[in-house]
Amino acid sequence: MIGGVSVTLGSALARILVTGGAGYIGSHTRYFLEQAGHSAVVADNLSRGHKEMVPQGLLRVVDIRDTERLKQVLSDERVEAVIHFAAYIAVGESTQVPEVYFANNVSGSVSLFEAMLHCGITRLVFSSSAAAYGIPQRVPIPETEPFAPINPYGESKVMVEKILGWLDRYRAFRSVSLRYFNACGAEPQAGLGELHDPETHLIPLMLRAILTGKPITLFGDDYPTPDGTCIRDYIHVSDLASAHVLAVEHLLRDGQSDVFNVGTGSGHSVLKVLQAVERVTGNKVPHTIGPRREGDPPSLVADSQKLQKQLGWKPARADLDRIVGDAWSFANRQKRSSGEYAAIR
Ligand code: UFG
């Protein structure tokens, strides 16, 4: 074990390009790749990412839609495999400007795949989402659940997964798609954590409510769940990052293309998360109960047995208090370094 990440014997250390490596999950994955001995370089256009999340010298400012520039980076850096995060992620925004989501998330991905094929690089880990399932028939959700996205963001992930299927078949382009559930937590001692702008996710918004005194609205308490609030599978970002390390090592060993859910298999309701935040921080979370948010399914929990069995992944930080504690440390660090928390929006 190195830094909590198991390094698979027999998998060679490699030079890996991380697109979107200045973002939340990308920056943690870059860190864990290095902990596992790999060498990483980051491609990010900084439209949503933060250059402070990338160590000096590793950032190449490039838009993934710029195929020619990508070819140059891939060959100059002697890249052997790519982990592809660069994408827009806000579900609500994707319903307002779907064309922007398809241009960035789908056309951007195709541009990257073209550049990779041009350079003879045919191993890619893709950042997919449980949003591909929409409102699932079965919970916990297995990977065999059909695609049924209910917003352009989810559809953009489905489209890229399908493109990857065709590239596998006709171009020997091997990929692993990881369908994430609710990424959360932080790696505060590495200076890494969640900094979306605007922030829409539950845990950072609860922490912000404590730090600013401005109440968070809980979206609905009349769902068919034990306490009436939605249930989600909250997965520590560092566990998510370690799944990427295992996935890229699988491809580097000439493993075949595959798809895996990444979640803990346990669900927590919004009210349970609120209780954990109050327990860990010792503060009350100012909140109000509002109406349901459109498109929120009552319960989304992963069946991640496949990832555990096939790649030997295990979530090491699944405890909700641990997740909240790491996010709280990062939020406080951020508050100290930025002077005022409100600056993060
Ligand atoms: N919630 C609130 N108030 C808020 C924000 C969220 O009550 O201000 C609730 C939501 O209604 C939901 C839960 O907290 O029940 C979690 O919401 P998030 O916005 O944090 O996360 P989502 O489950 O909506 O979204 C996540 C990922 C998406 C992905 C989706 C589907 O962030 O990228 O899961 O799997 F598309």
Side-chain angles (χ1 to χ4, degrees):
M1 295 280 276
I2 302 177
V5 174
S6 58
V7 182
T8 316
L9 287 176
S11 75
L13 297 177
R15 177 81 166 152
I16 295 162
L17 181 76
V18 181
T19 75
Y24 176 44
I25 306 171
S27 60
H28 286 78
T29 299
R30 188 271 311 149
Y31 174 73
F32 280 96
L33 281 169
E34 288 169 350
Q35 295 293 303
H38 297 289
S39 132
V41 61
V42 166
D44 199 301
N45 68 1
L46 298 179
S47 68
R48 308 260 163 130
H50 307 271
K51 62 177 185 312
E52 311 74 51
M53 299 284 177
V54 187
Q56 202 114 47
L58 294 192
L59 177 64
R60 307 291 173 267
V61 180
V62 47
D63 190 300
I64 51 166
R65 282 165 289 182
D66 186 345
T67 317
E68 292 311 310
R69 173 92 177 95
L70 271 179
K71 286 179 188 168
Q72 206 183 341
V73 171
L74 288 166
S75 65
D76 288 355
E77 301 292 339
R78 300 174 177 276
V79 167
E80 292 157 85
V82 176
I83 305 186
H84 175 36
F85 295 96
Y88 294 148
I89 61 153
V91 171
E93 185 185 53
S94 80
T95 64
Q96 288 152 11
V97 283
E99 69 286 3
V100 172
Y101 272 66
F102 293 121
N104 192 44
N105 296 7
V106 183
S107 305
S109 295
V110 174
S111 160
L112 170 67
F113 306 157
E114 267 185 76
M116 288 174 65
L117 284 162
H118 175 87
C119 297
I121 303 161
T122 54
R123 296 178 175 109
L124 175 116
V125 178
F126 175 57
S127 163
S128 190
S129 170
Y133 299 119
I135 300 173
Q137 301 298 313
R138 277 178 298 172
V139 180
I141 311 169
E143 289 84 355
T144 49
E145 184 75 5
F147 288 138
I150 56 167
N151 49 59
Y153 166 71
E155 181 70 46
S156 74
K157 295 295 174 182
V158 170
M159 286 176 163
V160 176
E161 282 202 29
K162 288 187 173 174
I163 292 166
L164 288 171
W166 293 110
L167 291 183
D168 177 71
R169 184 155 161 189
Y170 291 117
R171 298 290 263 146
F173 189 94
R174 306 293 178 233
S175 68
V176 170
S177 291
L178 297 177
R179 297 180 185 152
Y180 315 151
F181 284 67
N182 289 63
C184 49
E187 200 61 38
Q189 86 292 344
L192 300 176
E194 192 164 9
L195 267 188
H196 294 119
D197 184 11
E199 187 53 79
T200 60
H201 294 110
L202 185 65
I203 294 175
L205 287 178
M206 284 185 175
L207 300 178
R208 184 172 307 185
I210 292 173
L211 290 167
T212 64
K214 275 174 57 183
I216 175 175
T217 304
L218 307 187
F219 298 137
D221 63 354
D222 58 350
Y223 283 93
T225 59
D227 66 18
T229 63
C230 288
I231 293 174
R232 294 287 180 275
D233 186 331
Y234 293 92
I235 165 95
H236 196 295
V237 64
S238 302
D239 284 336
L240 202 43
S242 76
H244 291 77
V245 177
L246 292 172
V248 82
E249 288 176 348
H250 161 81
L251 293 173
L252 290 166
R253 288 192 305 272
D254 290 331
Q256 47 185 282
S257 295
D258 218 329
V259 177
F260 299 98
N261 285 334
V262 197
T264 64
S266 296
H268 300 285
S269 72
V270 170
L271 285 179
K272 286 271 179 254
V273 173
L274 184 119
Q275 285 158 12
V277 170
E278 293 189 339
R279 194 166 51 237
V280 170
T281 65
N283 289 282
K284 286 280 169 209
V285 177
H287 67 277
T288 56
I289 308 283
R292 292 181 178 194
R293 182 172 67 178
E294 202 194 314
D296 266 345
S299 179
L300 284 178
V301 177
D303 177 344
S304 61
Q305 289 302 309
K306 187 177 166 193
L307 180 62
Q308 304 204 21
K309 283 197 189 117
Q310 284 183 220
L311 297 191
W313 176 79
K314 235 176 134 55
R317 305 159 182 84
D319 177 62
L320 191 55
D321 286 21
R322 163 77 192 266
I323 288 172
V324 171
D326 286 346
W328 181 234
S329 300
F330 179 74
N332 277 298
R333 239 182 115 107
Q334 198 57 33
K335 185 187 176 195
R336 282 195 299 276
S337 64
S338 68
E340 52 169 343
Y341 195 71
I344 304 165
R345 276 204 283 159

